[in-house]
Amino acid sequence: MGRTPPSTANRAARPPSPVPSKPAPNPGTAPRGPGDLPPAHSVIICVALPGLAISTDQGQLTGQGLEGFYRAGRRVLSRCQIRVAGREPLAVQARTTASDRARFVATACVSQGGGPDPDVVVERTRHADGTERIMLHSAASRPLRLPVEVALGTDLADLGAIASGRTGPELPAVVHDSGLRWSCAAGGASVTADPPPADALASAGLLRWEFDLPPGGTVGLELRVRLEGAGPVRAAGRAATSPLALARATGDHPAVQPLMHTSIDDLQSLLLRDPAHPTDTHLAAGAPWRCGLAPADALVAARMTLPLGTRLAAGTLRTLARTQLRAQTPQSGMIPGPRRDAGAHLPASCTGTEATLLFPALLAEAFRWGLSPQETEELLPTAERCLGWLRATVGEGTYLCDPQPGGPVRCETQAHAHRAAVLGADLLDAFDRPGGAALRQWARELRTAFREDFWVEDRSGGRPAAARAPDGRLVPHLGAAAVHLLDPGLLGRGEQAPGLLDRVQTEQLARLLGSPAMDSGWGLRGLGTKEAGYNPFGHRTGAVRVHETAIAVSGLAAAGYEKEAGSLLRGLLAATEAFGHRLPEMYAGEQRTDSSAPLPHPAACRPAATAAATGVLLLSAVAGIRPDVPAGTVTLRPVRSAPLGELGLTGLRIAGAPFSVRVSRLGLAMVEEAAEGLQLGA
């Protein structure tokens, strides 16, 4: 994601503009610079992929910025403006009612001499599936005859053109069925209305009705937006076959119930099917910018949501297994992925490296959570090729460079590689496959070398280096990427895998992450405030990246640093309330004060898969759930300080069966529901 300009002025402060009597061409704006995305923080995004509906809080779709209905990355309708009795209604409320729909309320004064009180309420419900329902409610004391006009238009632009400011003018419309149709070389789109309009003017892009409303009466109409050649949007997350369990959370903290509900709702809205294998689902990275498969993000989010069952993990792994490189090249065994900006201190990293290392780790942990031996064994050859690529790329050395060849040795890459080796070895042993001993031996050598080579000594106790440059020079800045050192993964018997840091180094890292330089009060900053290049809005240089904060909370709690974990947890929960419980992928790392609120990042995806999965990870980490289904046990290691008070989680899934747990205010956990034969581990 590139850097973005300041947000545009608040549209709520602008006077409403009249509905045009003919299509208003979108002449265009000057092309944006490479980092100048239109702001996304001030819009309302409804998601049910492959469908999107993006609106401002005014409700009217004006064709400006990102506004419109989308299908598979193309804007199907850019303008939808209503006028009642010759006037544009006054917007009074806008809010999302679920991840895939929003409700807009406006009022109009249509009676002559009726004073300032509105006598018509216009309610619009906009769905990501391309449906808009418009209801008109009369509050007048006499019958009303209401002329209603809806002005429609589209440019059929793709999201990339919209992002770069290169959209063309609106297309000419033709009357079609009970509405209008537009077409261009890339395809066509149509809007149909129910009831059919009394009049349709293609040259003006207008549909017109006249409604008779008795006092207190209601009348409605429905618009259906369709991309030519595509049927109705069938969102994978709204089907009965959704891979995510509908878990619930209750407890003393007011944020836990809406956080879990919204997390699952957003995750469902981002689910996509593999077109060639429709039973396999995975998560898109986020809306509006990343509505396709991003391998590393999909694997991270699937791992965070294992408490909701293993079906999403299985679908994600199968989908990515089909993309693995097989040709006899140095990249053989990799899961391909694009480059990712790593901030000012380091060159771009390779998300393919991260995905390749995440694949065997996710498979190993999914097996612990209850993925069947048959499904695990079917995916095991892909995991073996990932591990083979790791060993071949490291060769006779100790560290994994990223990107290959000749790149820096990144701290977080070594953490991913170490976890892949340790968990991969555990998985190979479980299925009597060779290679586990060699992976463990390399992991031991990596731990020994890392603790010496990656530790920067200073007067405050030292810190892990962010990377080693190709010339051996340490890159010493402190950033949130260090949290991956606290995430070694889950082994059998509910045990955490060994980490790259020793006990003293882990304690020092916990102290640093809990310091004011890193803990903003709203979550963990991407870069410490004392580091060169710190920018509270920098998406790799100071902004709070939500999933990294969640990984820090989980890792700190598991390592016993509950004070630091509790502070970050409470800050993140405060941010969820400020964002209406739908967390963006990142927001500014400004310091929290008594009267402040977290500042949105204008280019952040919201919802985003890893941010939505955060709620699941946080709450299951507080409960300390560590299953080992092959051994028939589940171990509970709740946070003893009970930072959220009493907490209940119901409807989770372990071993394919419902699992429920309750944590008391004393930090004691009790299983309330579990699969038959699953025993509580020591």
Side-chain angles (χ1 to χ4, degrees):
M1 185 183 296
R3 301 188 184 280
T4 58
S7 65
T8 57
N10 185 348
R11 292 185 179 170
R14 300 176 183 174
S17 57
V19 175
S21 59
K22 61 180 180 180
N26 275 332
T29 60
R32 298 185 179 93
D36 296 341
L37 296 173
H41 69 286
S42 57
V43 295
I44 295 172
I45 303 178
C46 304
V47 190
L49 292 182
L52 286 175
I54 304 179
S55 324
T56 70
D57 59 5
Q58 296 298 289
Q60 302 276 42
L61 298 180
T62 66
Q64 303 301 307
L66 289 168
E67 294 175 47
F69 284 95
Y70 293 78
R71 174 72 183 265
R74 183 168 297 279
R75 183 155 62 182
V76 187
L77 188 71
S78 58
R79 192 161 52 85
C80 182
Q81 296 169 280
I82 187 171
R83 186 162 59 183
V84 177
R87 301 180 64 183
E88 188 169 354
L90 177 67
V92 295
Q93 188 185 78
R95 65 186 184 91
T96 56
T97 56
S99 60
D100 63 342
R101 55 191 179 273
R103 177 177 179 264
F104 305 90
V105 179
T107 60
C109 299
V110 300
S111 300
Q112 296 296 323
D117 296 336
D119 46 16
V120 173
V121 176
V122 182
E123 181 181 346
R124 304 170 74 167
T125 304
R126 187 165 294 151
H127 291 250
D129 66 2
T131 304
E132 175 149 344
R133 295 183 179 89
I134 303 171
M135 304 297 295
L136 298 107
H137 309 279
S138 173
S141 58
R142 61 179 182 81
L144 297 176
R145 186 165 184 80
L146 285 181
V148 175
E149 292 182 344
V150 176
L152 304 168
T154 190
D155 50 16
L156 286 176
D158 65 59
L159 190 56
I162 296 166
S164 63
R166 298 180 184 276
T167 59
E170 282 190 1
L171 299 168
V174 296
V175 175
H176 173 74
D177 196 7
S178 57
L180 299 174
R181 180 179 176 273
W182 302 264
S183 61
C184 66
S190 64
V191 173
T192 56
D194 183 22
D199 196 9
L201 302 178
S203 60
L206 281 179
L207 304 181
R208 290 174 171 166
W209 296 261
E210 284 203 2
F211 294 112
D212 292 311
L213 267 74
T218 297
V219 69
L221 62 96
E222 182 176 273
L223 304 174
R224 292 180 293 278
V225 185
R226 293 288 181 264
L227 183 65
E228 210 166 71
V233 173
R234 292 184 175 89
R238 301 300 169 191
T241 56
S242 170
L244 299 170
L246 298 179
R248 297 174 299 281
T250 58
D252 292 338
H253 197 290
V256 299
Q257 187 276 331
L259 175 62
M260 180 67 90
H261 173 81
T262 306
S263 292
I264 296 173
D265 194 35
D266 283 347
L267 289 166
Q268 288 180 321
S269 75
L270 292 169
L271 282 171
L272 289 173
R273 298 188 189 280
D274 185 330
H277 300 83
T279 58
D280 290 340
T281 53
H282 61 271
L283 288 165
W289 307 119
R290 304 170 69 207
C291 291
L293 174 62
D297 293 67
L299 288 163
V300 168
R303 183 172 176 241
M304 294 166 76
T305 56
L306 282 172
L308 302 180
T310 60
R311 288 177 56 205
L312 175 61
T316 303
L317 291 166
R318 283 193 290 264
T319 299
L320 291 176
R322 292 187 279 269
T323 73
Q324 189 175 43
L325 302 178
R326 305 286 183 91
Q328 294 304 308
T329 68
Q331 286 74 43
S332 178
M334 282 194 76
I335 306 293
R339 297 289 180 94
R340 174 195 287 148
D341 179 22
H345 298 275
L346 290 167
S349 62
C350 176
T351 62
T353 299
E354 185 179 349
T356 306
L357 300 173
L358 283 166
F359 190 101
L362 174 60
L363 181 60
E365 291 193 318
F367 181 56
R368 296 292 169 196
W369 281 86
L371 185 66
S372 72
Q374 178 183 353
E375 288 182 287
T376 305
E377 197 159 17
E378 288 172 355
L379 288 160
L380 198 51
T382 306
E384 288 177 303
R385 286 188 287 270
C386 291
L387 296 168
W389 169 86
L390 167 61
R391 295 294 293 122
T393 306
V394 171
E396 297 301 317
T398 303
Y399 298 118
L400 178 64
C401 299
D402 179 35
Q404 299 78 34
V409 179
R410 301 173 200 266
C411 172
E412 64 183 297
T413 301
Q414 309 321 302
H416 294 319
H418 180 263
R419 182 177 59 227
V422 174
L423 270 61
D426 202 47
L427 185 63
L428 294 175
D429 288 354
F431 285 86
D432 296 322
R433 305 287 271 260
L439 286 167
R440 285 194 184 88
Q441 176 61 30
W442 174 74
R444 283 193 292 269
E445 294 170 0
L446 177 60
R447 286 196 295 273
T448 300
F450 187 92
R451 291 169 184 179
E452 179 69 26
D453 294 346
F454 266 78
W455 194 255
V456 181
E457 296 290 353
D458 58 32
R459 288 179 295 179
S460 65
R463 64 175 63 184
R468 289 176 65 89
D471 61 4
R473 177 179 51 87
L474 290 178
V475 182
H477 70 271
L478 178 64
V483 303
H484 297 288
L485 296 170
L486 299 170
D487 183 24
L490 181 66
L491 293 175
R493 301 179 302 279
E495 294 181 1
Q496 292 284 103
L500 281 175
L501 299 181
D502 62 27
R503 184 185 60 80
V504 174
Q505 291 171 334
T506 301
E507 183 176 355
Q508 172 65 1
L509 177 58
R511 189 185 68 80
L512 291 171
L513 295 179
S515 70
M518 290 297 294
D519 185 352
S520 71
W522 300 115
L524 192 70
R525 294 184 176 94
L527 186 68
T529 56
K530 298 178 181 179
E531 307 298 325
Y534 167 72
N535 171 7
F537 280 94
H539 66 286
R540 297 284 172 184
T541 53
V544 173
R545 296 182 62 80
V546 167
H547 85 281
E548 287 178 333
T549 301
I551 291 171
V553 171
S554 176
L556 288 166
Y561 299 101
E562 296 189 1
K563 177 184 175 182
E564 293 81 0
S567 176
L568 290 171
L569 172 63
R570 287 186 290 271
L572 200 54
L573 290 180
T576 71
E577 294 179 291
F579 284 110
H581 305 287
R582 174 187 265 189
L583 283 166
E585 62 178 325
M586 61 181 168
Y587 46 86
E590 292 280 8
Q591 186 62 43
R592 180 180 178 183
T593 65
D594 289 341
S595 59
S596 68
L599 297 175
H601 192 293
C605 287
R606 181 170 177 254
T610 54
T614 287
V616 182
L617 176 62
L618 285 175
L619 298 179
S620 58
V622 170
I625 306 168
R626 300 183 187 178
D628 185 359
V629 171
T633 64
V634 59
T635 303
L636 300 178
R637 295 280 189 272
V639 179
R640 292 170 298 176
S641 58
L644 304 181
E646 185 174 327
L647 172 67
L649 301 176
T650 59
L652 303 176
R653 295 193 78 80
I654 298 178
F659 182 83
S660 301
V661 62
R662 184 165 300 278
V663 180
S664 73
R665 296 182 182 93
L666 298 176
L668 302 175
M670 179 178 65
V671 174
E672 295 185 332
E673 182 181 25
E676 186 176 353
L678 195 64
Q679 301 295 316
L680 191 62

